Amino acid sequence: QHWAEVERHPRINPWQLRTLSAIMRCRTSDLGGHVDACTDCGTIRISYNSCRNRHCPKCQGKNREEWISKREAELLPVPYFHVVFTLPDTLNPLAMYQPKAVYDSLFEAAWQTVACFAK
């Protein structure tokens, strides 16, 4: 209903628009579909195609759980330390529009910190 406003919003970047558009159209006639028909009883069911976007809750819930299970299976039987590096919220707008620059800088600084403490 408010899609035109979303498209014009100054703080929504093209990547976010593509993601939102895919989720909005997921499992609708916009993405096409197919007909499932039972040869025994004649029941017909229309199934619409999914968007397959990795952010879509309808499409990727199962995939996300499988991914987590696979990562857990890779863990070594040793103690782990959970370390969190954060950015000030004032950098959020910059991270939305220049994510590579922001996150490359964050990961470089985080690695330098971990390497320093590891010594």
Side-chain angles (χ1 to χ4, degrees):
Q1 185 177 10
H2 299 281
W3 183 245
E5 293 172 49
V6 171
E7 287 181 306
R8 290 189 307 270
H9 196 284
R11 291 194 174 175
I12 296 180
N13 64 37
W15 174 82
Q16 292 168 315
L17 278 175
R18 280 193 308 273
T19 300
L20 291 171
S21 175
I23 292 170
M24 182 177 65
R25 296 180 305 129
C26 187
R27 299 176 200 258
T28 68
S29 59
D30 288 356
L31 298 180
H34 53 279
V35 176
D36 299 316
C38 177
T39 55
D40 291 333
C41 70
T43 299
I44 295 175
R45 186 181 74 203
I46 297 173
S47 298
Y48 294 115
N49 296 332
S50 64
C51 67
R52 294 182 158 178
N53 187 289
R54 68 186 178 110
H55 299 94
C56 179
K58 287 187 263 182
C59 293
Q60 300 305 324
K62 180 176 172 268
N63 292 350
R64 181 178 53 249
E65 293 305 317
E66 287 175 3
W67 183 88
I68 290 170
S69 293
K70 288 178 182 176
R71 299 300 73 81
E72 286 175 341
E74 295 172 344
L75 293 175
L76 299 173
V78 297
Y80 280 84
F81 294 93
H82 181 82
V83 182
V84 177
F85 291 86
T86 61
L87 292 171
D89 63 350
T90 54
L91 292 178
N92 287 349
L94 181 60
M96 295 302 291
Y97 288 99
Q98 295 293 326
K100 182 167 178 20
V102 171
Y103 292 113
D104 283 354
S105 298
L106 173 65
F107 290 131
E108 178 63 27
W111 173 246
Q112 289 175 7
T113 303
V114 169
C116 179
F117 277 97
K119 289 180 181 177

